[in-house]
Amino acid sequence: MTGLDMSDSAPATALLPELESELYRMISAEVEGLSDEQLDFESDRWEWSKWSIRRNLSHVASGDYRWLLLRWGPQLFPEGLPDIADLDNIMNSPYDRRLDENVYWEVSSILAVLRRGLELCHSVLAGETVGTSRSKELKFDDSGNWAVFAQAHPRGIRWDPDDPSQVYITLEATLRHRIFEHTTHLYNIQRLKRAQGLAPRVE
């Protein structure tokens, strides 16, 4: 059964099973056993090497919260955001699109936030059906990247016909985008390892 074949009443978790455990397993395996020097290697030689392994990890760990709580929060949690440990520090980082490095520097602490973020994604899906995940939409300013991103999505992204600077994305497409984001930064981590002569650990 493909996503297109699923009935609207089917559980939304069937759409994106990777969110349950596969992404965390791959990412945590890829950073296991690395030294601080390996984790913090950065280079101006390539665009993708300007953020270290640690900072790639911090970025994806913070992203699920920024999408589901900051952007989707009023729609998904009208009665108030879920009780998540240390949410203030996670949501109010002084660093652009990363966790607060003064609080979350050790890989174990970043991985703990990453795991909880993926659990949040899965719990949101678990509360939806295929139909509701495809009907709920979020409207926001188009950064200019969404025309490229939309090419990777089979559905769920559209532009406001009256204002092309505004884009709508469904809940399903949001969570698929999160999978793409995690996968992209996992690949960046692998490239950073290769640049240091280290072999990747996962396919």
Side-chain angles (χ1 to χ4, degrees):
M1 177 182 290
T2 68
L4 293 174
D5 297 326
M6 292 182 183
S7 76
D8 283 350
S9 60
T13 48
L15 287 168
L16 304 166
E18 305 95 320
L19 284 172
E20 188 165 6
S21 61
E22 188 66 9
L23 284 172
Y24 181 81
R25 180 195 67 78
M26 291 192 297
I27 294 170
S28 60
E30 201 61 73
V31 301
E32 183 180 7
L34 297 180
S35 67
D36 284 342
E37 182 180 6
Q38 292 163 344
L39 288 165
D40 297 325
F41 166 80
E42 293 180 347
S43 171
D44 290 330
R45 183 174 179 183
W46 305 281
E47 188 64 30
W48 50 262
S49 62
K50 292 180 179 178
W51 266 5
S52 66
I53 290 173
R54 194 190 307 267
R55 286 177 171 154
N56 273 272
L57 187 64
S58 179
H59 172 67
V60 291
S62 69
D64 296 326
Y65 302 90
R66 285 185 283 108
W67 269 100
L68 294 179
L69 301 184
L70 281 178
R71 291 181 170 178
W72 275 98
Q75 189 174 162
L76 293 178
F77 307 104
E79 304 302 318
L81 298 181
D83 185 16
I84 295 174
D86 203 32
L87 187 58
D88 283 344
N89 274 326
I90 294 171
M91 299 276 278
N92 297 311
S93 172
Y95 297 94
D96 179 37
R97 299 177 298 134
R98 300 197 307 270
L99 297 171
D100 186 341
E101 294 179 354
N102 298 303
V103 179
Y104 296 102
W105 184 251
E106 296 302 321
V107 165
S108 59
S109 68
I110 300 172
L111 285 174
V113 175
L114 173 68
R115 181 190 286 277
R116 295 202 309 270
L118 288 168
E119 288 171 351
L120 173 64
C121 291
H122 186 262
S123 70
V124 165
L125 267 184
E128 305 289 338
T129 64
V130 168
T132 61
S133 73
R134 291 176 176 172
S135 63
K136 291 181 179 179
E137 288 186 313
L138 179 68
K139 181 181 181 181
F140 58 96
D141 294 337
D142 184 3
S143 63
N145 294 322
W146 282 95
V148 176
F149 296 158
Q151 296 175 40
H153 289 265
R155 62 192 162 268
I157 299 170
R158 68 182 181 89
W159 279 261
D160 188 325
D162 298 318
D163 184 357
S165 72
Q166 300 293 298
V167 65
Y168 290 86
I169 181 170
T170 64
L171 182 58
E172 178 197 16
T174 297
L175 290 166
R176 190 187 306 110
H177 181 68
R178 294 307 307 145
I179 293 172
F180 292 165
E181 183 86 358
H182 283 276
T183 306
T184 296
H185 286 277
L186 172 59
Y187 182 58
N188 283 348
I189 288 169
Q190 293 180 328
R191 290 196 288 188
L192 287 158
K193 290 179 73 172
R194 289 190 182 99
Q196 300 177 78
L198 304 170
R201 298 186 64 177
V202 300
E203 290 291 332

